[in-house]
Amino acid sequence: MSTNFNLKHLLGIRELSADQIVHLLDTAETFRDISKREIKKVPALRGRTVINLFFEASTRTRTSFEIAAKRLSADAVNISVSTSSVSKGETLLDTARNLQAMSPDCIVIRHSSAGAPYHLARACSAAIVNAGDGAHEHPTQALLDALTIREHKGRLEGLRVAIIGDILHSRVARSNIYLLSKLGASVSVAGPGTLVPAEFAGLIEQGVRLERRIEDAIVDADVVMILRMQRERQTDAFFPSMREYAVHYGLHLNHLSLAAPDAIVMHPGPMNRGIEISSEVADGGRSLILDQVTNGVAVRMAVLYLLAGAPGITEKPERQDVSDSTLRNGTVKKQRSRKRSLREEE
Amino acid sequence: MSTNFNLKHLLGIRELSADQIVHLLDTAETFRDISKREIKKVPALRGRTVINLFFEASTRTRTSFEIAAKRLSADAVNISVSTSSVSKGETLLDTARNLQAMSPDCIVIRHSSAGAPYHLARACSAAIVNAGDGAHEHPTQALLDALTIREHKGRLEGLRVAIIGDILHSRVARSNIYLLSKLGASVSVAGPGTLVPAEFAGLIEQGVRLERRIEDAIVDADVVMILRMQRERQTDAFFPSMREYAVHYGLHLNHLSLAAPDAIVMHPGPMNRGIEISSEVADGGRSLILDQVTNGVAVRMAVLYLLAGAPGITEKPERQDVSDSTLRNGTVKKQRSRKRSLREEE
Amino acid sequence: MSTNFNLKHLLGIRELSADQIVHLLDTAETFRDISKREIKKVPALRGRTVINLFFEASTRTRTSFEIAAKRLSADAVNISVSTSSVSKGETLLDTARNLQAMSPDCIVIRHSSAGAPYHLARACSAAIVNAGDGAHEHPTQALLDALTIREHKGRLEGLRVAIIGDILHSRVARSNIYLLSKLGASVSVAGPGTLVPAEFAGLIEQGVRLERRIEDAIVDADVVMILRMQRERQTDAFFPSMREYAVHYGLHLNHLSLAAPDAIVMHPGPMNRGIEISSEVADGGRSLILDQVTNGVAVRMAVLYLLAGAPGITEKPERQDVSDSTLRNGTVKKQRSRKRSLREEE
């Protein structure tokens, strides 16, 4: 495995190599322990500026990135851009250039338009992190999902993963399909509209198995991922009502009997209980939904650290963190053995 | 007095013992000086995460908690949940569990529903602080009020406190009544609806004297607390207009001649000048309204420190703060004599 | 030049002496380098509290002040007051007094009413910084503009500066006119309504040349400042439509041929491309629009440092920053030669 992590931005999983994904996951594993400490803080990004630029409301993702930045000692600045400010008339590129002129080290962007982070990346020398762009990608969600699977299954390769829900409009599904395919898992999907052939050409290329019925996708699955029914975006194109959706694509306990005996259940949140997932499943022993959230902070710490922090680690050799150097030079095995050495904040 | 402060959450004053209240006030007194320094910061909560989760808009209370957290060197994360996000469909418990999964040390919650903080406390291992829940309790307000009274009167026991305003719907009144009763003050109240007997059974149990006229409640009072007329919540149940309210329950200078000669006046803010309080009173020599705000920061520092910080104080013995140990082990007297020793932030 | 910077608040450029302006610019120059470092942080304002109190939405100015505060290690607290909270009935003075009671070192205020920062200054012992008050002043904008001009022209004295746009309603224009006049630049203006004589009496007193046509103002200009067309505030008083405005007061490449050969172009942002400025000009080689943003952070660091930090620098002599003392005691020349000595954050 390459230890040379050469990545300037995190725009999507599609552009990443399997090695880069594994390196991100390994780094995240290293950071997971920090949040379990009493002093949940390391000085890795001290003096760095991380801007959270959110054009869509998001409590949980923004909070996760903000906590990640602060636990790395970065200065975190939140910008919520409502449509009212956009009416002031500035283009996204001008917003990006202006923020860049304030010398941030990293800009985390969520935007309703697919591709918005790519625009930023062209205009900025700061590292750009895609926190969800339209129906395109949500790479840190896929990474935290993968970290959670690996934590519980020990691997991704060879696993069968079922993804249930509105695949076509889900950036979570898209990023997960890219990641799982790259790391050797096999993916089956079921949801409204999965029989529409044209839009799914790309999925089939990724080796994804399309099913019409949720049961067919779940059979023998090691992992069942339920997507959020995005009420707020839903048009009536594929199904007539919430109730209709719940009946056809809601995950219930009896579904799980079709899956592998030790199958795990995941959901990106926020959940619509009783619609895409029953409370028995959500709160059941197979559910890893809260582990996903915990791993989300670790993944975002890893992403911020690798993109915004790497070149600056050496500025104070006498106070340097052992694991900082292993993160840059060492092998993954070394990182793991030394992961407890990440120094606490002073 | 017990020096063993055994409290996991601060949900309401009702659940506290007199000893616990006094310990909170003593600790707050210790912290009050920090905000008077040039370097208004101590490292007590460095590496701790405090989330301010506000489901109701609140400039002043959120700012007070945020400043308190930052002066203790905690990482403060603000989450304002508008009704629009709630429409995403997640339950309060799921929101709580999700935040908990990000490993905060403390969650400060304001919510329009009475009891919301209790729900959080059941779902979270983080310390929960009630920053106001519906018409139920607002414990840090009662604590800062008590600190202000004690600062100016030297004690609470035996004092006569008049609370004027819409007692029935006021979480401020409720928390204050619990606290004042526990610490031996006697309370009289007057306001619209104070003759409605059923709802006040609980108040009478606390020993509260119900009056119909503001003058009757104020006679010989050592402390006059005026409640905010909550225009935004007001229905016409008890009085027909603002003007009507001002005439019957507005506090004027002439009212103060009925009170004790050295009576003090308090208001939780924000004030409606000319409605529940005249400017002559608000800006007069007896008004402690701004002292209350100052004490609010100190009280919130104490609450965050005692709930989120206590077990972590020992991690760096060589840099340990003298008053940290006194706060845990010493007597109140010791704390006071050493309160200047809280180390400055470096 | 005086090195004795005796200023408690920054309310407007009008009240500043030329010496004070130069001292602010020199200090900003010193701070500009900090944002170019890997560790973009100095401990100058550690333990100080800076409140950003914004009654008008502003992404860029608030972000600039927040980043400035954090790079100085201050605790930054953002308060956005929407009209809905104002409906709670508290006066601006009461808001100010309440914030003051939380012991901030500096309050940065943006408000839609001219003079609001002056009200705060009367109520607060904290340093007040005007971040834009109605159509009155926006002093940090004028300072960052001046810093940008000085950076590229080496001086302000003797320069010809053209300001194009809705001068009458622009706080940016007003602050710039004061500053440029004080430092010996000559100013010409053109824009809708510039023939209205009464309102411009004050401008003429400042030595400003009023022109009707944009071309007449630009002739031989060393600096061309384009104002933002404030769509959101625009009434139809002076021109009938956006298109009308663009035709008469939009800056195009051909205009620049009238200016001095090495003329520079500035805009306070956010830009309405195609209205007050063409993209050819905005993105052209003469545009310093992004340099203005970069200098904005430096100017705000200087302002916060000089107003909130000066007396506190000596509290820890053994860790004192060399440039801290030069900033207080030394000459400007000394400051410059030592500007690299501002210690990094540890």
Side-chain angles (χ1 to χ4, degrees):
Chain A
M1 182 188 315
S2 165
T3 56
N4 181 14
F5 184 76
N6 189 6
L7 194 67
K8 167 128 192 60
H9 307 293
L10 180 64
L11 303 175
I13 298 294
R14 188 174 206 169
E15 295 87 14
L16 298 183
S17 69
D19 277 6
Q20 287 175 315
I21 293 169
V22 170
H23 189 66
L24 278 161
L25 298 178
D26 290 342
T27 308
E29 216 170 280
T30 308
F31 280 114
R32 194 162 46 200
D33 286 339
I34 293 170
S35 293
K36 296 177 186 159
R37 298 178 187 167
E38 206 155 75
I39 305 294
K40 286 172 275 292
K41 197 157 187 154
V42 290
L45 296 190
R46 183 169 278 170
R48 307 306 204 290
T49 305
V50 174
I51 294 178
N52 292 316
L53 177 65
F54 276 62
F55 290 88
E56 287 187 325
S58 163
T59 293
R60 101 179 35 214
T61 305
R62 192 266 298 164
T63 302
S64 181
F65 271 108
E66 183 179 351
I67 287 177
K70 289 180 169 172
R71 291 194 178 151
L72 292 168
S73 300
D75 288 326
V77 174
N78 293 321
I79 304 178
S80 291
V81 187
S82 66
T83 43
S84 65
S85 340
V86 171
S87 74
K88 274 198 174 180
E90 192 181 54
T91 67
L92 177 62
L93 269 183
D94 280 335
T95 299
R97 288 184 190 120
N98 272 282
L99 291 179
Q100 177 60 46
M102 298 185 199
S103 311
D105 297 276
C106 185
I107 300 174
V108 177
I109 178 176
R110 166 162 290 192
H111 200 283
S112 60
S113 295
Y118 295 79
H119 280 287
L120 251 69
R122 279 192 289 275
C124 295
S125 61
I128 305 299
V129 176
N130 181 358
D133 62 328
H136 176 243
E137 282 234 34
H138 190 357
T140 56
Q141 178 71 42
L143 288 165
L144 72 88
D145 288 341
L147 185 63
T148 307
I149 297 171
R150 210 176 70 164
E151 187 182 10
H152 287 84
K153 295 293 181 191
R155 66 194 164 100
L156 288 159
E157 196 168 359
L159 292 183
R160 292 160 179 261
V161 181
I163 307 180
I164 310 297
D166 185 7
I167 315 289
L168 264 189
H169 300 95
S170 170
R171 56 194 178 203
V172 173
R174 194 178 299 262
S175 289
N176 263 305
I177 288 169
Y178 288 134
L179 188 152
L180 293 165
S181 304
K182 282 172 197 282
L183 291 202
S186 69
V187 179
S188 63
V189 305
T194 45
L195 288 186
V196 182
E199 287 86 347
F200 279 93
L203 293 183
I204 293 166
E205 267 174 41
Q206 300 286 326
V208 172
R209 208 178 81 221
L210 311 185
E211 301 287 356
R212 184 176 191 178
R213 295 171 59 246
I214 177 173
E215 291 83 358
D216 299 332
I218 289 178
V219 167
D220 293 337
D222 301 296
V223 180
V224 181
M225 287 186 179
I226 299 297
L227 300 178
R228 168 177 167 71
M229 217 296 287
Q230 297 185 291
R231 300 193 206 186
E232 63 280 12
R233 294 188 189 171
Q234 211 51 56
T235 61
D236 299 47
F238 292 121
F239 50 89
S241 73
M242 292 293 110
R243 172 136 189 76
E244 202 81 14
Y245 189 96
V247 167
H248 290 296
Y249 302 105
L251 186 69
H252 295 272
L253 263 187
N254 60 310
H255 288 127
L256 293 185
S257 62
L258 302 168
D262 57 351
I264 58 179
V265 174
M266 302 169 75
H267 186 294
M271 283 189 284
N272 300 295
R273 288 169 177 268
I275 298 180
E276 75 265 10
I277 189 166
S278 74
S279 282
E280 292 79 13
V281 176
D283 303 330
R286 293 169 173 223
S287 168
L288 299 181
I289 295 173
L290 297 176
D291 300 65
Q292 292 173 269
V293 178
T294 298
N295 283 327
V297 174
V299 156
R300 281 145 192 153
M301 288 176 80
V303 168
L304 295 177
Y305 174 78
L306 289 172
L307 297 184
I313 295 307
T314 51
E315 85 279 351
K316 284 179 178 289
E318 80 281 11
R319 306 184 65 180
Q320 195 177 353
D321 185 346
V322 172
S323 66
D324 287 345
S325 56
T326 58
L327 284 171
R328 277 174 301 128
N329 311 318
T331 66
V332 172
K333 202 161 282 172
K334 268 191 202 159
Q335 285 171 36
R336 288 188 186 169
S337 66
R338 293 189 181 177
K339 70 184 173 186
R340 296 219 145 264
S341 67
L342 266 171
R343 279 188 332 127
E344 289 180 356
E345 163 76 3
E346 303 183 83
Chain B
M1 182 188 314
S2 166
T3 57
N4 181 14
F5 186 75
N6 189 7
L7 193 68
K8 169 129 191 60
H9 307 293
L10 179 64
L11 304 174
I13 298 294
R14 187 174 207 168
E15 295 88 14
L16 298 183
S17 68
D19 277 6
Q20 286 175 316
I21 293 169
V22 170
H23 189 67
L24 278 161
L25 297 178
D26 290 341
T27 308
E29 214 170 282
T30 308
F31 280 115
R32 194 163 45 199
D33 286 339
I34 292 169
S35 293
K36 296 177 186 160
R37 298 178 187 167
E38 207 154 75
I39 305 295
K40 286 172 276 290
K41 198 160 187 151
V42 290
L45 294 189
R46 184 168 277 171
R48 308 306 205 291
T49 304
V50 174
I51 294 179
N52 292 316
L53 178 64
F54 276 62
F55 290 87
E56 286 187 325
S58 163
T59 293
R60 100 178 38 214
T61 305
R62 193 266 299 164
T63 302
S64 182
F65 271 108
E66 182 178 353
I67 287 177
K70 288 181 170 172
R71 291 194 178 151
L72 292 168
S73 300
D75 288 327
V77 174
N78 294 320
I79 304 180
S80 291
V81 188
S82 65
T83 45
S84 65
S85 341
V86 170
S87 74
K88 273 196 173 182
E90 192 179 52
T91 66
L92 177 62
L93 269 183
D94 280 335
T95 300
R97 288 183 189 120
N98 272 282
L99 291 179
Q100 178 60 46
M102 298 185 198
S103 311
D105 297 275
C106 183
I107 300 176
V108 177
I109 178 177
R110 166 163 289 192
H111 200 283
S112 59
S113 295
Y118 296 79
H119 280 286
L120 250 70
R122 280 192 288 274
C124 295
S125 61
I128 305 299
V129 176
N130 181 359
D133 62 327
H136 177 243
E137 281 233 35
H138 190 357
T140 56
Q141 178 71 43
L143 288 164
L144 72 88
D145 288 341
L147 186 63
T148 307
I149 296 172
R150 210 177 70 164
E151 187 182 9
H152 286 83
K153 295 290 181 193
R155 65 194 166 100
L156 288 159
E157 197 169 357
L159 292 184
R160 292 160 178 260
V161 181
I163 308 182
I164 310 298
D166 185 7
I167 315 290
L168 264 190
H169 299 95
S170 170
R171 56 195 178 204
V172 173
R174 194 178 300 261
S175 289
N176 263 304
I177 288 169
Y178 288 134
L179 189 151
L180 293 165
S181 305
K182 283 171 196 280
L183 292 202
S186 68
V187 179
S188 62
V189 306
T194 44
L195 288 186
V196 182
E199 286 86 345
F200 278 93
L203 293 183
I204 293 166
E205 267 174 42
Q206 300 288 324
V208 172
R209 206 179 82 221
L210 310 185
E211 301 287 356
R212 185 176 191 179
R213 295 171 60 248
I214 178 172
E215 290 82 358
D216 298 333
I218 289 178
V219 168
D220 292 337
D222 301 297
V223 180
V224 181
M225 287 187 178
I226 298 298
L227 300 177
R228 169 177 166 70
M229 217 297 288
Q230 297 185 290
R231 302 194 205 186
E232 61 281 12
R233 295 187 188 170
Q234 209 52 57
T235 61
D236 298 47
F238 293 121
F239 50 89
S241 73
M242 290 296 109
R243 173 137 187 76
E244 203 81 13
Y245 189 95
V247 166
H248 290 295
Y249 302 106
L251 186 69
H252 295 274
L253 263 187
N254 60 310
H255 289 126
L256 294 185
S257 61
L258 302 168
D262 57 348
I264 57 178
V265 174
M266 302 170 75
H267 185 293
M271 284 189 283
N272 300 296
R273 289 171 177 266
I275 298 180
E276 74 266 12
I277 189 167
S278 73
S279 282
E280 290 80 12
V281 175
D283 304 330
R286 293 166 173 226
S287 168
L288 298 180
I289 295 173
L290 298 176
D291 299 63
Q292 290 173 271
V293 178
T294 298
N295 283 327
V297 174
V299 156
R300 280 143 193 156
M301 289 177 78
V303 168
L304 295 177
Y305 174 78
L306 289 171
L307 297 184
I313 295 306
T314 53
E315 84 277 352
K316 283 178 179 287
E318 79 283 7
R319 305 184 65 179
Q320 197 178 350
D321 186 344
V322 173
S323 64
D324 287 347
S325 56
T326 59
L327 284 172
R328 278 172 301 128
N329 311 318
T331 66
V332 173
K333 202 160 284 173
K334 268 191 198 157
Q335 284 171 37
R336 289 191 185 167
S337 66
R338 293 189 180 176
K339 70 184 175 187
R340 297 218 145 265
S341 68
L342 267 172
R343 279 190 330 126
E344 290 182 353
E345 163 76 1
E346 303 184 80
Chain C
M1 185 187 313
S2 165
T3 57
N4 180 14
F5 185 76
N6 187 7
L7 195 67
K8 169 129 191 60
H9 307 293
L10 179 64
L11 303 175
I13 298 295
R14 188 174 206 170
E15 295 86 15
L16 298 183
S17 69
D19 276 5
Q20 287 174 316
I21 293 169
V22 170
H23 189 66
L24 278 161
L25 297 178
D26 290 341
T27 308
E29 214 170 281
T30 308
F31 279 115
R32 193 161 47 199
D33 285 339
I34 292 169
S35 292
K36 295 177 185 160
R37 298 178 187 166
E38 208 154 74
I39 305 295
K40 284 172 277 290
K41 197 158 185 150
V42 290
L45 294 190
R46 183 168 278 169
R48 307 307 203 291
T49 304
V50 174
I51 294 179
N52 293 315
L53 177 64
F54 276 64
F55 290 87
E56 288 188 324
S58 162
T59 294
R60 98 178 38 213
T61 305
R62 193 267 299 163
T63 302
S64 182
F65 271 107
E66 182 179 352
I67 287 178
K70 289 180 169 172
R71 290 193 178 152
L72 292 168
S73 300
D75 288 327
V77 174
N78 294 321
I79 303 178
S80 292
V81 187
S82 67
T83 44
S84 65
S85 340
V86 171
S87 75
K88 274 197 174 181
E90 191 180 55
T91 65
L92 177 62
L93 269 184
D94 280 335
T95 299
R97 289 184 189 119
N98 272 283
L99 292 178
Q100 177 60 46
M102 298 186 198
S103 311
D105 297 275
C106 184
I107 301 175
V108 177
I109 179 176
R110 166 163 291 193
H111 200 284
S112 59
S113 294
Y118 295 79
H119 280 288
L120 253 69
R122 278 191 290 272
C124 295
S125 62
I128 305 300
V129 176
N130 180 358
D133 61 328
H136 176 243
E137 281 233 34
H138 190 355
T140 56
Q141 179 70 43
L143 288 165
L144 73 87
D145 288 341
L147 186 63
T148 308
I149 296 172
R150 210 176 69 163
E151 187 182 10
H152 286 83
K153 295 291 182 191
R155 65 192 165 101
L156 288 159
E157 197 170 357
L159 291 183
R160 293 161 177 258
V161 181
I163 307 181
I164 311 296
D166 185 7
I167 315 291
L168 264 190
H169 300 94
S170 169
R171 56 196 178 204
V172 173
R174 194 177 300 262
S175 289
N176 263 304
I177 288 168
Y178 289 133
L179 189 151
L180 293 165
S181 303
K182 282 172 198 283
L183 292 202
S186 67
V187 179
S188 62
V189 306
T194 43
L195 288 186
V196 182
E199 288 86 347
F200 278 93
L203 293 183
I204 292 166
E205 268 174 41
Q206 300 287 325
V208 173
R209 207 177 82 220
L210 310 185
E211 301 286 355
R212 184 174 192 181
R213 296 169 60 247
I214 178 174
E215 290 83 357
D216 298 332
I218 291 178
V219 168
D220 292 336
D222 300 297
V223 180
V224 181
M225 288 187 176
I226 299 297
L227 300 178
R228 170 178 166 70
M229 218 296 287
Q230 297 185 292
R231 301 193 206 186
E232 62 280 13
R233 294 190 189 168
Q234 210 53 58
T235 61
D236 298 48
F238 292 121
F239 50 88
S241 73
M242 292 294 110
R243 173 136 188 75
E244 203 80 14
Y245 189 95
V247 166
H248 290 295
Y249 302 106
L251 186 68
H252 295 274
L253 263 188
N254 60 308
H255 289 126
L256 293 186
S257 61
L258 302 168
D262 57 350
I264 58 178
V265 174
M266 302 170 75
H267 185 293
M271 283 189 283
N272 300 294
R273 289 170 176 267
I275 298 181
E276 74 266 11
I277 190 167
S278 74
S279 282
E280 291 80 11
V281 175
D283 304 329
R286 292 168 174 222
S287 168
L288 299 181
I289 294 172
L290 298 175
D291 300 65
Q292 290 173 272
V293 177
T294 298
N295 284 327
V297 175
V299 156
R300 280 144 192 155
M301 289 176 79
V303 168
L304 295 177
Y305 174 78
L306 289 171
L307 297 185
I313 294 308
T314 52
E315 84 280 352
K316 283 179 178 287
E318 80 282 9
R319 303 185 66 180
Q320 196 179 350
D321 187 343
V322 172
S323 65
D324 287 347
S325 56
T326 58
L327 284 172
R328 277 173 301 128
N329 311 318
T331 66
V332 173
K333 201 161 282 172
K334 268 191 200 158
Q335 285 172 37
R336 288 190 185 168
S337 67
R338 292 188 181 177
K339 70 185 174 186
R340 295 218 145 265
S341 67
L342 268 170
R343 279 187 332 126
E344 288 181 357
E345 163 77 0
E346 304 184 79

